[in-house]
Amino acid sequence: FDFLLLDPPWPNRSASRKGDYSTIDRREIIPLLKKIPVADITKPRGLVAVWITNRPALRKQLLEQVAPTWGCDGIPEAEWTWVKVTEKGETVWDMESKMRKPYEVLLILRRNGEKGEKEVKVKNMVMVAVPEKHSRKPAVKGLIEKYLPENHKGAEIFGRNLTDGWFTWGDEAIKWNWDGHWDTEEKKSEVVSSV
Protein backbone atom coordinates (compact mmCIF):
# COMPACT_ATOMS: atom_id res chain seq x y z
CA PHE A 1 0.00 0.00 0.00
CA ASP A 2 1.05 3.60 -0.57
CA PHE A 3 -0.95 4.71 2.47
CA LEU A 4 -1.88 2.88 5.64
CA LEU A 5 -4.22 4.39 8.24
CA LEU A 6 -4.51 2.91 11.73
CA ASP A 7 -6.95 3.78 14.52
CA PRO A 8 -5.78 1.36 17.24
CA PRO A 9 -8.10 0.37 20.10
CA TRP A 10 -6.04 2.34 22.64
CA PRO A 11 -6.81 1.72 26.31
CA ASN A 12 -9.64 4.03 27.34
CA ARG A 13 -11.52 3.82 30.64
CA SER A 14 -14.49 5.81 29.38
CA ALA A 15 -14.96 3.55 26.32
CA SER A 16 -14.56 0.44 28.48
CA ARG A 17 -17.23 1.66 30.91
CA LYS A 18 -19.67 2.57 28.13
CA GLY A 19 -19.02 -0.62 26.17
CA ASP A 20 -19.32 1.27 22.86
CA TYR A 21 -16.27 -0.44 21.36
CA SER A 22 -13.49 -2.79 22.39
CA THR A 23 -10.14 -1.53 23.64
CA ILE A 24 -6.86 -3.29 24.37
CA ASP A 25 -5.21 -3.32 27.79
CA ARG A 26 -2.33 -0.81 28.14
CA ARG A 27 0.15 -3.67 28.68
CA GLU A 28 -0.91 -5.40 25.46
CA ILE A 29 -1.41 -2.59 22.94
CA ILE A 30 2.26 -1.87 22.13
CA PRO A 31 3.17 -5.57 21.63
CA LEU A 32 0.06 -5.94 19.44
CA LEU A 33 0.98 -2.96 17.26
CA LYS A 34 4.55 -4.26 16.85
CA LYS A 35 3.13 -7.49 15.38
CA ILE A 36 1.30 -5.74 12.55
CA PRO A 37 3.52 -6.31 9.46
CA VAL A 38 3.40 -2.68 8.33
CA ALA A 39 6.84 -2.88 6.69
CA ASP A 40 5.68 -5.87 4.63
CA ILE A 41 2.46 -4.32 3.38
CA THR A 42 3.46 -0.67 2.91
CA LYS A 43 5.70 0.44 0.06
CA PRO A 44 9.08 2.02 0.83
CA ARG A 45 8.50 5.78 1.33
CA GLY A 46 4.79 5.06 1.75
CA LEU A 47 2.82 6.91 4.43
CA VAL A 48 1.66 5.38 7.70
CA ALA A 49 -0.86 7.44 9.69
CA VAL A 50 -1.82 6.55 13.25
CA TRP A 51 -4.51 8.10 15.43
CA ILE A 52 -3.03 8.39 18.93
CA THR A 53 -4.35 9.26 22.35
CA ASN A 54 -3.26 12.36 24.22
CA ARG A 55 -1.16 10.29 26.64
CA PRO A 56 2.49 11.29 26.23
CA ALA A 57 3.72 7.84 27.35
CA LEU A 58 1.78 6.03 24.60
CA ARG A 59 2.98 8.50 21.98
CA LYS A 60 6.58 7.95 23.09
CA GLN A 61 6.18 4.16 22.98
CA LEU A 62 4.62 4.33 19.53
CA LEU A 63 7.44 6.45 18.11
CA GLU A 64 10.35 4.77 19.89
CA GLN A 65 9.27 1.13 20.00
CA VAL A 66 6.61 0.52 17.35
CA ALA A 67 7.63 2.80 14.46
CA PRO A 68 11.05 1.10 13.98
CA THR A 69 9.37 -2.32 13.69
CA TRP A 70 7.17 -0.81 10.97
CA GLY A 71 10.18 0.42 8.99
CA CYS A 72 9.71 4.07 10.03
CA ASP A 73 12.31 6.21 11.80
CA GLY A 74 9.94 7.38 14.55
CA ILE A 75 9.97 11.05 13.62
CA PRO A 76 6.55 12.14 12.33
CA GLU A 77 6.57 13.80 8.94
CA ALA A 78 3.44 15.65 9.98
CA GLU A 79 0.80 15.89 12.67
CA TRP A 80 -2.84 16.50 11.89
CA THR A 81 -4.92 17.68 14.80
CA TRP A 82 -8.65 17.12 14.91
CA VAL A 83 -10.28 19.77 17.12
CA LYS A 84 -13.68 18.53 18.27
CA VAL A 85 -16.38 21.17 18.37
CA THR A 86 -20.09 21.32 19.12
CA GLU A 87 -22.63 22.20 16.45
CA LYS A 88 -22.30 25.79 17.71
CA GLY A 89 -18.56 25.79 16.98
CA GLU A 90 -17.35 25.64 20.60
CA THR A 91 -14.76 23.05 21.67
CA VAL A 92 -16.41 20.03 23.29
CA TRP A 93 -14.17 20.46 26.37
CA ASP A 94 -12.02 23.29 27.63
CA MET A 95 -8.62 23.35 25.87
CA GLU A 96 -6.89 23.48 29.26
CA SER A 97 -8.84 20.58 30.79
CA LYS A 98 -6.66 18.18 32.79
CA MET A 99 -9.05 15.25 32.29
CA ARG A 100 -10.08 15.43 28.63
CA LYS A 101 -8.68 17.24 25.65
CA PRO A 102 -10.99 18.46 22.88
CA TYR A 103 -8.64 17.17 20.20
CA GLU A 104 -6.98 14.05 18.84
CA VAL A 105 -3.80 13.74 16.83
CA LEU A 106 -3.07 11.79 13.65
CA LEU A 107 0.67 11.15 13.39
CA ILE A 108 1.87 10.71 9.83
CA LEU A 109 5.05 8.67 9.46
CA ARG A 110 6.96 7.81 6.32
CA ARG A 111 8.39 4.38 5.61
CA ASN A 112 12.14 4.28 5.21
CA GLY A 113 13.57 3.98 1.70
CA GLU A 114 15.11 6.00 -1.07
CA LYS A 115 13.29 9.28 -1.64
CA GLY A 116 11.31 9.42 -4.87
CA GLU A 117 11.63 12.39 -7.20
CA LYS A 118 7.87 13.16 -7.07
CA GLU A 119 7.55 12.72 -3.31
CA VAL A 120 5.62 15.53 -1.62
CA LYS A 121 6.27 16.30 2.05
CA VAL A 122 3.09 16.11 4.12
CA LYS A 123 2.24 19.35 5.90
CA ASN A 124 0.78 19.79 9.38
CA MET A 125 -2.96 20.42 9.43
CA VAL A 126 -5.77 21.28 11.82
CA MET A 127 -9.20 19.80 11.14
CA VAL A 128 -12.24 21.20 12.96
CA ALA A 129 -15.27 18.94 13.04
CA VAL A 130 -18.21 17.85 15.17
CA PRO A 131 -17.50 14.35 16.56
CA GLU A 132 -19.81 11.55 15.52
CA LYS A 133 -20.78 8.50 17.51
CA HIS A 134 -18.36 6.12 19.21
CA SER A 135 -14.94 7.59 18.40
CA ARG A 136 -15.49 7.75 14.66
CA LYS A 137 -12.74 9.89 13.14
CA PRO A 138 -13.04 12.39 10.30
CA ALA A 139 -12.45 10.97 6.82
CA VAL A 140 -8.91 11.73 5.64
CA LYS A 141 -8.93 10.24 2.14
CA GLY A 142 -9.63 13.52 0.34
CA LEU A 143 -7.02 15.31 2.46
CA ILE A 144 -4.17 12.80 2.11
CA GLU A 145 -4.53 12.04 -1.61
CA LYS A 146 -2.50 15.07 -2.73
CA TYR A 147 0.51 13.50 -1.00
CA LEU A 148 0.07 10.10 -2.68
CA PRO A 149 0.78 8.73 -6.16
CA GLU A 150 -2.00 9.16 -8.72
CA ASN A 151 -3.23 5.55 -8.63
CA HIS A 152 -2.41 4.96 -4.98
CA LYS A 153 -3.48 1.97 -2.95
CA GLY A 154 -4.78 2.77 0.52
CA ALA A 155 -5.77 0.63 3.48
CA GLU A 156 -7.16 1.10 6.95
CA ILE A 157 -6.43 -1.20 9.88
CA PHE A 158 -8.90 -1.23 12.78
CA GLY A 159 -11.31 0.41 10.34
CA ARG A 160 -14.94 0.93 11.27
CA ASN A 161 -16.26 1.80 7.83
CA LEU A 162 -15.38 1.18 4.20
CA THR A 163 -13.60 3.92 2.30
CA ASP A 164 -14.15 4.01 -1.45
CA GLY A 165 -11.22 2.39 -3.25
CA TRP A 166 -9.38 1.36 -0.06
CA PHE A 167 -8.96 -1.97 1.68
CA THR A 168 -10.37 -2.05 5.22
CA TRP A 169 -9.49 -4.52 7.97
CA GLY A 170 -11.04 -4.63 11.43
CA ASP A 171 -13.68 -6.39 13.47
CA GLU A 172 -16.10 -3.51 12.81
CA ALA A 173 -15.07 -2.83 9.20
CA ILE A 174 -18.61 -2.25 7.95
CA LYS A 175 -20.14 -0.83 11.14
CA TRP A 176 -20.62 2.73 9.88
CA ASN A 177 -21.84 1.63 6.46
CA TRP A 178 -25.14 0.47 7.98
CA ASP A 179 -27.93 3.00 7.40
CA GLY A 180 -29.23 2.45 10.93
CA HIS A 181 -26.31 4.47 12.32
CA TRP A 182 -27.34 7.61 10.47
CA ASP A 183 -30.06 10.07 11.30
CA THR A 184 -32.12 10.97 8.28
CA GLU A 185 -34.48 13.94 8.14
CA GLU A 186 -37.31 11.42 8.26
CA LYS A 187 -35.98 9.85 11.49
CA LYS A 188 -35.43 13.27 13.05
CA SER A 189 -39.02 14.33 12.29
CA GLU A 190 -40.33 11.04 13.76
CA VAL A 191 -38.49 11.76 17.00
CA VAL A 192 -39.76 15.34 17.14
CA SER A 193 -43.37 14.32 16.43
CA SER A 194 -43.28 11.58 19.09
CA VAL A 195 -42.18 14.06 21.79
Side-chain angles (χ1 to χ4, degrees):
F1 296 102
D2 299 287
F3 177 68
L4 188 63
L5 176 64
L6 298 98
D7 185 10
W10 296 107
N12 181 310
R13 280 183 276 204
S14 175
S16 297
R17 280 193 302 271
K18 289 180 185 175
D20 290 337
Y21 57 92
S22 300
T23 61
I24 303 290
D25 183 89
R26 66 180 175 77
R27 294 175 299 269
E28 298 172 11
I29 189 72
I30 297 301
L32 170 73
L33 294 175
K34 286 174 152 182
K35 290 179 183 178
I36 299 172
V38 171
D40 295 336
I41 62 174
T42 309
K43 292 179 182 176
R45 304 301 295 168
L47 296 174
V48 179
V50 187
W51 286 103
I52 61 166
T53 71
N54 291 314
R55 292 181 151 205
L58 287 175
R59 177 191 173 105
K60 183 176 179 174
Q61 289 177 312
L62 177 78
L63 294 175
E64 293 178 2
Q65 297 174 30
V66 179
T69 67
W70 289 351
C72 302
D73 66 10
I75 299 170
E77 179 158 324
E79 290 188 28
W80 290 4
T81 303
W82 168 32
V83 179
K84 301 175 186 182
V85 296
T86 66
E87 290 180 1
K88 293 180 180 180
E90 301 164 349
T91 57
V92 293
W93 295 286
D94 182 44
M95 287 295 261
E96 304 302 320
S97 171
K98 300 262 189 241
M99 298 299 290
R100 289 185 155 189
K101 301 294 183 193
Y103 57 85
E104 290 187 46
V105 174
L106 180 66
L107 292 178
I108 301 177
L109 308 169
R110 188 167 299 271
R111 280 280 327 280
N112 296 328
E114 197 170 313
K115 186 175 179 177
E117 58 188 61
K118 292 185 179 182
E119 185 175 295
V120 179
K121 182 177 177 358
V122 182
K123 296 184 176 165
N124 292 335
M125 181 185 310
V126 175
M127 301 173 279
V128 179
V130 176
E132 295 181 26
K133 299 176 183 178
H134 312 300
S135 186
R136 183 162 184 226
K137 307 298 188 287
V140 298
K141 182 179 181 188
L143 301 171
I144 198 69
E145 286 181 315
K146 67 180 175 183
Y147 302 107
L148 300 172
E150 189 173 328
N151 294 315
H152 73 275
K153 290 186 180 182
E156 184 172 0
I157 296 180
F158 303 112
R160 301 172 95 198
N161 64 282
L162 303 176
T163 299
D164 185 38
W166 287 6
F167 174 84
T168 303
W169 178 85
D171 64 357
E172 295 182 326
I174 60 171
K175 181 174 187 166
W176 297 110
N177 292 87
W178 177 54
D179 288 340
H181 283 295
W182 301 99
D183 289 334
T184 62
E185 291 304 316
E186 184 178 294
K187 283 184 190 177
K188 287 178 186 176
S189 62
E190 286 174 12
V191 170
V192 170
S193 64
S194 68
V195 173

